[in-house]
């Protein structure tokens, strides 16, 4: 599941405003900590995959 860009920006803004850690932010929004760390590096969602189709 891909979270919308607005939601990602909102979560990271709350993290900065309230000076929360990744773990605290993850529990508050019910998101994985790895997702938050990925969003901090690159906030735009990936639209394509680097994997060939399998049947």
């Amino acid at each position: 599941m891909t979270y919308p860009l607005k939601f990602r920006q909102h979560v990271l803004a709350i993290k900065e405003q309230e000076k929360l850690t990744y773990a605290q932010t993850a529990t508050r929004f019910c998101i994985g900590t790895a997702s938050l760390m990925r969003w901090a590096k690159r906030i735009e969602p990936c639209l394509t995959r680097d994997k060939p189709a399998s049947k």
Side-chain angles (χ1 to χ4, degrees), residues 49-55:
R49 293 178 58 187
D50 292 330
K51 184 179 182 228
S54 60
K55 185 171 181 181

Side-chain angles (χ1 to χ4, degrees), residues 4-39:
L5 182 60
K6 291 261 185 196
F7 178 71
R8 294 175 181 215
Q9 292 170 340
H10 175 72
V11 170
L12 292 176
I14 295 292
K15 179 187 178 304
E16 288 297 318
Q17 287 174 0
E18 299 184 11
K19 296 183 179 11
L20 300 173
T21 63
Y22 283 110
Q24 292 170 334
T25 309
T27 55
R28 179 172 175 176
F29 290 99
C30 299
I31 302 170
T33 54
S35 296
L36 289 175
M37 291 182 189
R38 260 185 271 121
W39 296 353

